[in-house]
Amino acid sequence: MDFLQPVIDGFGVVLMPSNLLYCLLGVVIGMLIGVLPGLGPAATIAILLPLTYGIEPVTAIIMLAGIFYGAQYGGTITSVLLRLPGEASSVVTVFDGYQLARKGKAGTALGIAAIGSFIGGTVAIIGLTFLAPLVASFALDFGPPEYAALALVGILLVATISNGAKIKALIAAAFGLLLATVGRDIFTGAERFTFGNLSLADGIDFVPVAMGLFGVGEILYNLEERHRAAQAPATVANVWPSKKDLKQSAGAIGRGSVLGFFLGILPGGGATISSLAAYAVEKKRAKNPERFGKGAVEGVAGPETANNAAATSSFIPLLTLGIPANATMAIIFGALLIQGVTPGPQLMVDNPDLFWGVVNSMYIGNILLLIMSIPLVGLFVRILRVRAAILAPITALITLLGAYTIRNSMFDVLLVVLFGAVGYLMKKFGFEPGPLVLAFVLGALLESSLRRSLLVLDGDVAGFMGRPISATLLVVFVLVAVWPMVKSVMDRRKNSQTAPLIKSKENA
C-alpha cells in the first residue's frame, strides 16, 4: 500500500479543476496540431513554452504532455482523409487508411485508430506506473560517471537510430554539443565562444533554440512544401467499426501496445519508429500480406496503437533518468528546467505530486481523446480548408512575441530568427533538427558529469570501467558505434559472395 498511496494522491492532483482544464486544453491543441500537416507536437510545445512561465509546474507539464500524445491521433485524420500525414508517426497509416477511405470506410479507419490509440496509451500508462519506480530506484545509484556514460549513449543512440542519413544526424548532434559549450565554463568561469557578447555569457538559452528550430524553421519549410493543389477530404460515414473489423484488428492492437511501449523507452525510438515497426510486424505475420497497402484494417490498428504507446512510454527515461528519448521530450525537459524542476531519479521523491500528477493525467487525457476524437472529425475537416498562408504568419508572430516576453530581450528574438533560418536550411538539406536539440540538452549534462567524474577519479579515465553501471553503458556505446561499420563489412562480403553465383547462373 505504501507504493499505491502516491499513485492515489496523484489522482487527487489531476482531478483539481485547473489541472483537468489544462489536460483538456492540451489534448485538444494536440489533436488540432496533429491535423495541421507539418507543424507537429515538438514545434507546438516549443512555441507554447513562454506560456508555461505563469503556470504551476504540474499544470504546465500536464498540458504539454497532452499536446504530445494528443497529436498522435490528430495526425491520423489527415492520413486517412487526405493521404497527407499530419504527424511523422502517422506516415504508415497513409498506406491502408487512405485506401479504406477510398472504399467508403474512412469512418472505420478513424474508429479503429481511436480504439487502438486508447488501448495502446492505457497499456503504456499502466506500464509506466509500475516500471518507472523500479527505474528510478535503480538510478539512485548513479553518480557523475554513470550520468556521463548515459548522456554519451543517449546522444549516440539518437543520432544513429533517428530517421534520415546517419552521417547527417551525427553532424547535427555534433553541432548541438558545440552550442552547449557556449558561455562561461562552469568550473573555471572562463568565457567560451561568446565573442565578447555579454548576452552569450550565460550560454544560449534553450527556449530560443527550440522555438527557432521547431517553430519558425518548421513554418518556413511547410509554407514552401504546401504550395500545391489542395485535396478534398474523403467523406466520413459510420465511425464505429464492425465486429469483424474489431476481431481482425484485436491482435494488431495487442502487439502494437507491447511493441510501442518498449520502443518508446529507447533513446531515438519514439512514436515514428514504433509505428513503422508495428506495420512491418503485421505485414510479416499476415496470411495474405498482399492485402497491405490496399486497405488492410490491421495496417491502421497496429501503427496507431504503437505510436500512442510509444508517446506515453517515452516519459519513462525523461522522468526517471533525466534523459529525453526524442526531440519532443527534450523540449518538455527544457520546460521542467524552466519551472525549476530537475527530472531524474530524485523527482519521484522530491516532487511526487508532479510525477504522479503527470502520469495519472494521461489516463484522463486518453479517455478525453477517445470521447472527443470521433465527434470532432467534422470540425477538423473544416480546419484543413484553412490556407497555410493565413495560419503561418499568425503562428510566426505568436512565436516571436513569446520569445520576447520570456526575458523582454530583443536578443532572444534575434536568436529565434537565426535558429529559424538554421532549422529551415536543415530541413531543406535533409538534416533533422531533433539530434541537434537532444545533443544541446544533454551536452551540459555530459560536460558537467564528465568533468566531475575526472575530479572524483583523479583524472583516471580507466576508472569508468571500474564501476559496473558506467562500464556497461560504455560497452553499449562502443557496440552501437561499431555495429554500423561491422554490418557494412558483412553486407559487402555477402554481396561479393553472391555476385559470382548470380553470374554463373546467368551464364548457365
Side-chain angles (χ1 to χ4, degrees):
M1 286 300 295
D2 291 340
F3 163 70
L4 290 176
Q5 191 56 49
V7 181
I8 296 168
D9 293 341
F11 279 109
V13 172
V14 74
L15 290 174
M16 292 172 61
S18 60
N19 290 337
L20 278 175
L21 176 63
Y22 277 94
C23 181
L24 174 63
L25 185 64
V27 296
V28 170
I29 291 174
M31 289 179 73
L32 287 170
I33 293 307
V35 168
L36 297 173
L39 194 55
T44 306
I45 293 171
I47 292 168
L48 293 178
L49 277 179
L51 298 180
T52 63
Y53 277 79
I55 308 174
E56 288 293 317
V58 63
T59 307
I61 305 305
I62 283 173
M63 181 184 72
L64 298 182
I67 292 171
F68 182 40
Y69 57 80
Q72 307 307 318
Y73 182 75
T76 310
I77 296 171
T78 50
S79 295
V80 172
L81 302 183
L82 287 176
R83 203 181 184 182
L84 185 65
E87 172 54 19
S89 59
S90 297
V91 169
V92 292
T93 308
V94 168
F95 303 155
D96 289 282
Y98 184 68
Q99 293 301 323
L100 284 168
R102 289 186 65 187
K103 295 176 181 178
K105 299 181 71 175
T108 299
L110 292 174
I112 283 290
I115 294 167
S117 297
F118 173 76
I119 294 173
T122 303
V123 168
I125 300 163
I126 294 169
L128 171 58
T129 302
F130 289 97
L131 184 61
L134 296 176
V135 176
S137 61
F138 170 73
L140 286 171
D141 296 330
F142 278 34
E146 286 74 22
Y147 270 109
L150 184 63
L152 200 62
V153 172
I155 293 168
L156 182 65
L157 280 173
V158 167
T160 53
I161 297 176
S162 64
N163 302 325
K166 301 296 182 284
I167 188 66
K168 290 183 178 180
L170 287 169
I171 292 170
F175 185 52
L177 288 174
L178 180 64
L179 290 175
T181 63
V182 174
R184 290 192 185 94
D185 187 300
I186 57 175
F187 290 93
T188 66
E191 292 190 359
R192 304 178 300 189
F193 306 113
T194 61
F195 305 103
N197 190 323
L198 289 176
S199 298
L200 290 174
D202 292 327
I204 298 174
D205 193 50
F206 171 77
V207 177
V209 174
M211 293 179 78
L213 288 173
F214 290 102
V216 176
E218 292 283 346
I219 291 166
L220 293 174
Y221 181 75
N222 290 323
L223 268 177
E224 183 180 58
E225 288 295 303
R226 292 183 69 186
H227 275 301
R228 55 176 178 261
Q231 303 177 53
T235 304
V236 180
N238 181 26
V239 293
W240 189 252
S242 65
K243 287 184 179 179
K244 180 184 176 183
D245 291 326
L246 288 171
K247 185 178 180 181
Q248 203 168 355
S249 57
I253 290 173
R255 288 184 289 272
S257 299
V258 176
L259 185 65
F261 176 77
F262 286 106
L263 288 179
I265 297 172
L266 298 175
T272 305
I273 288 178
S274 299
S275 61
L276 289 166
Y279 189 83
V281 168
E282 294 310 313
K283 190 173 181 179
K284 191 171 183 179
R285 283 182 56 87
K287 292 180 180 178
N288 302 307
E290 63 274 4
R291 292 189 305 109
F292 283 75
K294 298 176 182 177
V297 72
E298 307 98 297
V300 174
E304 287 301 316
T305 303
N307 65 29
N308 275 267
T312 301
S313 65
S314 60
F315 279 88
I316 293 177
L318 173 71
L319 296 176
T320 59
L321 299 175
I323 300 295
N326 51 58
T328 308
M329 289 296 106
I331 298 172
I332 294 178
F333 180 92
L336 284 164
L337 295 180
I338 288 168
Q339 294 282 353
V341 177
T342 304
Q346 290 294 339
L347 180 63
M348 199 177 296
V349 177
D350 298 339
N351 293 281
D353 289 350
L354 186 146
F355 183 91
W356 290 112
V358 171
V359 171
N360 291 344
S361 73
M362 297 179 191
Y363 287 107
I364 307 296
N366 265 281
I367 294 170
L368 291 173
L369 278 170
L370 182 65
I371 293 170
M372 295 187 305
S373 56
I374 304 304
L376 291 179
V377 166
L379 173 63
F380 295 142
V381 169
R382 291 189 184 92
I383 291 170
L384 287 169
R385 301 182 190 278
V386 179
R387 295 200 310 272
I390 296 173
L391 291 173
I394 297 172
T395 309
L397 180 62
I398 293 171
T399 304
L400 295 176
L401 284 173
Y404 179 78
T405 56
I406 294 170
R407 297 188 298 185
N408 295 328
S409 169
M410 277 305 297
F411 184 75
D412 285 348
V413 175
L414 291 173
L415 280 179
V416 170
V417 173
L418 173 64
F419 281 104
V422 171
Y424 166 74
L425 291 172
M426 287 181 71
K427 294 284 285 185
K428 184 78 173 171
F429 292 101
F431 288 83
E432 286 295 325
L436 188 157
V437 173
L438 282 155
F440 177 72
V441 169
L442 294 176
L445 173 65
L446 176 62
E447 182 187 9
S448 62
S449 300
L450 179 61
R451 293 176 69 175
R452 285 193 178 97
S453 301
L454 292 175
L455 288 173
V456 170
L457 300 170
D458 294 325
D460 183 14
V461 179
F464 282 90
M465 301 306 294
R467 300 169 69 104
I469 297 175
S470 61
T472 303
L473 289 169
L474 288 174
V475 169
V476 171
F477 175 84
V478 171
L479 291 175
V480 173
V482 171
W483 172 246
M485 292 182 281
V486 173
K487 188 174 183 298
S488 178
V489 171
M490 289 170 63
D491 288 343
R492 280 202 297 269
R493 284 185 178 178
K494 186 178 178 180
N495 292 335
S496 63
Q497 289 172 357
T498 54
L501 293 173
I502 294 169
K503 286 184 179 177
S504 61
K505 287 180 180 179
E506 287 176 351
N507 293 333

